[in-house]
Amino acid sequence: MSNNKTASRRMTKQRQAIINMLAKSKEHPTAEMIYAAVRQELPDISLGTVYRNLQFLVAEGQVHEIAQGRVGSRFDGNLLPHSHFFCQSCGAVYDIPAYEAEISPECLHNMPGQLLNQRTDFFGICQDCLAAERVKKA
Amino acid sequence: MSNNKTASRRMTKQRQAIINMLAKSKEHPTAEMIYAAVRQELPDISLGTVYRNLQFLVAEGQVHEIAQGRVGSRFDGNLLPHSHFFCQSCGAVYDIPAYEAEISPECLHNMPGQLLNQRTDFFGICQDCLAAERVKKA
DNA sequence: TTAATTGCAAACCCTTTGCTTCATC
DNA sequence: GATGAAGCAAAGGGTTTGCAATTAA
């Protein structure tokens, strides 16, 4: 599933520039920041190309995406501390008992500032989807 | 900062309906889902009102937002396992050493499906912003 | 009464997509 | 030379906003 990555790709100067930029950057750039940076080298590159390559690189696992977004937000009226399990198959969000990550003193010491909050999210396949999958596999 | 919440609010039937819906719902609805549900009771409510009230309720802390989004994503060329610290003041994202949350067997047992992945994110105020804040406080 | 809130619709922002042209393999 | 990828620009989707009309306090 993830090994035949060389399925069909061409290394273009645009893609290479994006890869280089990401390899060098420590700032977790947005698409726009990548666009701005790469444009210094390739003034004619288009934003669409940046997005297409980011999609491609994320799909290949060469780059990680850190979603922060505002789109597709979900809202939770339950204010009691609890964690969430996200089904990667159907998108459902399940409440699970509060998970309190215990931060080691060493880890705390490595924080680049004052820690106010932490959140552990869980990802997987929910029971419903597992059941459906079983049918597929049979 | 968070105690004079009653600054200026009027309880409208729209706001009440949204609050009720969220209190009842277990599905972590999106704005659109809330809109659809509330519309059964208040057919003339507008999507804009739903969004405005969600903003208001989140700001007041009456509702939590679970961001999942695709907008404002950041990208990371560093594939080594590591965690992130998000500065809530300036929006910067810092790498921190991989944080491996240890899930208790009890917690694992409570998962509503097959756990594939987990991620702990940290939120706070980065050194730069703390320094800037110090000026303000002085 | 009066200021917060609504409905409506247009505007926004980020991201995706269709199409033609370009260039890597 | 085939075909994957680029450039451009228009479309898309979720969310925000301006404004006049309502309505809670």
Side-chain angles (χ1 to χ4, degrees), chain A residues 9-11 31 47-48 51-52 55:
Chain A
R9 54 193 282 190
R10 282 178 191 173
M11 186 49 68
L47 230 200
Y51 275 107
R52 263 188 293 236
Q55 261 180 202

Side-chain angles (χ1 to χ4, degrees), chain B:
Chain B
M1 190 184 245
S2 56
N3 20 350
N4 62 333
K5 289 179 178 175
T6 329
S8 67
R9 52 193 283 187
R10 282 181 192 171
M11 186 50 68
T12 61
K13 58 190 175 192
Q14 291 89 341
R15 181 166 297 167
Q16 191 62 62
I18 291 169
I19 291 171
N20 291 345
M21 190 278 177
L22 276 165
K24 269 182 269 175
S25 172
K26 288 273 179 202
E27 55 177 353
H28 309 81
T30 62
E32 203 72 44
M33 289 158 82
I34 295 166
Y35 176 54
V38 171
R39 214 131 78 107
Q40 311 216 105
E41 184 185 334
L42 301 172
D44 289 335
I45 194 173
S46 73
L47 231 200
T49 294
V50 171
Y51 275 107
R52 263 187 294 234
N53 274 296
L54 286 172
Q55 261 180 201
F56 176 91
L57 294 169
V58 168
E60 280 221 329
Q62 291 189 52
V63 162
H64 286 166
E65 179 170 4
I66 308 171
Q68 301 216 88
R70 213 169 50 244
V71 160
S73 271
R74 284 162 170 268
F75 298 87
D76 194 345
N78 175 6
L79 299 186
L80 299 174
H82 64 280
S83 301
H84 293 112
F85 178 99
F86 298 86
C87 178
Q88 294 181 324
S89 171
C90 68
V93 183
Y94 297 83
D95 281 342
I96 57 180
Y99 176 72
E100 257 300 283
E102 289 162 35
I103 314 304
S104 67
E106 183 206 347
C107 189
L108 268 177
H109 197 70
N110 278 312
M111 292 293 164
Q114 185 189 359
L115 179 62
L116 296 175
N117 230 315
Q118 55 175 276
R119 190 186 58 216
T120 302
D121 291 329
F122 300 92
F123 305 88
I125 311 293
C126 74
Q127 291 300 352
D128 288 358
C129 289
L130 284 175
E133 203 101 37
R134 192 184 305 141
V135 177
K136 249 189 270 171
K137 283 180 181 171

Side-chain angles (χ1 to χ4, degrees), chain A residues 46-114:
Chain A
S46 72
L47 230 200
T49 294
V50 171
Y51 275 107
R52 263 188 293 236
N53 273 295
L54 286 173
Q55 261 180 202
F56 175 90
L57 294 169
V58 168
E60 279 220 329
Q62 291 188 54
V63 162
H64 285 166
E65 179 169 4
I66 308 171
Q68 300 218 88
R70 214 170 48 243
V71 161
S73 271
R74 283 161 170 270
F75 298 87
D76 194 345
N78 175 6
L79 300 185
L80 299 174
H82 63 281
S83 302
H84 292 112
F85 178 100
F86 298 85
C87 178
Q88 294 182 324
S89 172
C90 66
V93 183
Y94 296 84
D95 280 342
I96 58 180
Y99 176 72
E100 257 299 283
E102 288 163 34
I103 315 302
S104 69
E106 183 206 345
C107 189
L108 269 176
H109 196 70
N110 278 312
M111 291 293 164
Q114 185 189 0

Side-chain angles (χ1 to χ4, degrees), chain A residues 2-3 5 9 17 27 34 37 42 50 61 66 73 77 83 90 97 100 108 127-129 135:
Chain A
S2 57
N3 22 345
K5 290 182 179 176
R9 54 193 282 190
E27 56 177 352
I34 295 167
L42 302 172
V50 171
I66 308 171
S73 271
S83 302
C90 66
E100 257 299 283
L108 269 176
Q127 290 300 353
D128 288 358
C129 289
V135 178

